[in-house]
Amino acid sequence: QKEVEQNSGPLSVPEGAIASLNCTYSDRGSQSFFWYRQYSGKSPELIMFIYSNGDKEDGRFTAQLNKASQYVSLLIRDSQPSDSATYLCAVNRFDDDTGNQFYFGTGTSLTVIP
Amino acid sequence: EAQVTQNPRYLITVTGKKLTVTCSQNMNHEYMSWYRQDPGLGLRQIYYSMNVEVTDKGDVPEGYKVSRKEKRNFPLILESPSPNQTSLYFCASSPTRNYGYTFGSGTRLTVV
């Protein structure tokens, strides 16, 4: 079982719609959760991070965390063609036994259709 | 400009020939890390460093070495590269252990 699972997609949404991206993780001890965007041929860039259950909003982006169900989601409102990219979910656990481990999902490809 | 700089961007080498990929950050970040990205496998952590002279293994450390003699630099060393180390490599840095990483532009390595 992978540490972080994402639907690879592709996910297609029309311009102006809400894109919903989901991620599940296996380690209940995970403490920090991240969403990255990666354009083709480029490096990942951090969009959002969330530590506590609930929603966190930043502009058109909302991250949602549910630790009991072990899932993280990213909502992109008013989707734009420039949002077309692969979105990577990452989780982090740090403690004396495991050190500081980061695990990434394989990403969901999003296409926003004009 | 705050950034993570890694070199070279592209590298083709032969099996067994030692190589080093350099990484430098100008943000005074405590944490640095190396990842490899492969189709279908995603990003996997190779090694990370919490500070000068403090490093630890990630998910896939076999065949790699690292060192952190200065805070800004974190080179990745392949003592005897093999074809299964052909991949896209990213260096990244973070100010704290639970903050997101800032990634470099990547190094595409091919081992023939």
Side-chain angles (χ1 to χ4, degrees):
Chain A
Q1 182 186 7
K2 289 183 179 179
E3 298 282 345
V4 180
E5 300 261 15
Q6 294 182 256
N7 187 328
S8 62
L11 173 65
S12 295
V13 299
E15 185 173 355
I18 296 175
S20 178
L21 304 157
N22 301 310
C23 165
T24 57
Y25 60 94
S26 60
D27 184 357
R28 283 196 171 274
S30 298
Q31 295 150 305
S32 308
F33 307 87
F34 307 87
W35 282 100
Y36 285 82
R37 176 175 62 200
Q38 187 174 24
Y39 293 112
S40 180
K42 301 294 186 182
S43 57
E45 74 180 294
L46 181 66
I47 302 173
M48 295 200 63
F49 57 87
I50 185 168
Y51 304 143
S52 305
N53 278 328
D55 295 0
K56 179 181 179 182
E57 188 174 317
D58 184 1
R60 295 187 296 113
F61 299 97
T62 298
Q64 299 174 317
L65 174 61
N66 184 323
K67 288 187 177 181
S69 301
Q70 294 176 246
Y71 86 79
V72 194
S73 63
L74 179 70
L75 300 178
I76 306 174
R77 290 181 299 281
D78 187 25
S79 295
Q80 300 297 308
S82 59
D83 294 327
S84 298
T86 296
Y87 288 80
L88 307 175
C89 173
V91 303
N92 171 229
R93 174 179 180 149
F94 48 87
D95 57 37
D96 290 339
D97 293 328
T98 64
N100 189 33
Q101 301 292 333
F102 261 85
Y103 296 101
F104 281 79
T106 53
T108 298
S109 176
L110 171 67
T111 299
V112 180
I113 303 166
Chain B
E1 179 188 357
Q3 60 186 358
V4 178
T5 303
Q6 52 182 114
N7 284 295
R9 289 294 308 276
Y10 301 92
L11 180 58
I12 301 174
T13 191
V14 296
T15 299
K17 185 176 181 181
K18 181 180 178 180
L19 67 91
T20 299
V21 183
T22 64
C23 175
S24 180
Q25 52 96 1
N26 63 0
M27 296 168 282
N28 200 36
H29 284 174
E30 300 288 332
Y31 281 78
M32 296 186 75
S33 186
W34 276 101
Y35 292 86
R36 60 178 290 174
Q37 188 172 36
D38 302 289
L41 297 176
L43 279 160
R44 293 178 293 169
Q45 191 175 44
I46 303 171
Y47 270 96
Y48 67 94
S49 170
M50 295 152 281
N51 213 324
V52 175
E53 302 291 3
V54 183
T55 63
D56 204 353
K57 296 177 181 179
D59 212 21
V60 288
E62 294 78 18
Y64 304 95
K65 284 178 57 177
V66 293
S67 67
R68 188 100 179 266
K69 292 183 170 54
E70 305 166 281
K71 195 172 186 178
R72 63 183 292 124
N73 295 323
F74 190 46
L76 178 69
I77 304 158
L78 284 73
E79 294 270 2
S80 183
S82 62
N84 64 12
Q85 293 178 297
T86 292
S87 186
L88 178 59
Y89 291 86
F90 289 104
C91 180
S93 71
S94 176
T96 66
R97 63 184 181 183
N98 63 341
Y99 200 79
Y101 275 101
T102 299
F103 283 80
S105 299
T107 295
R108 187 165 292 282
L109 172 65
T110 302
V111 184
V112 298

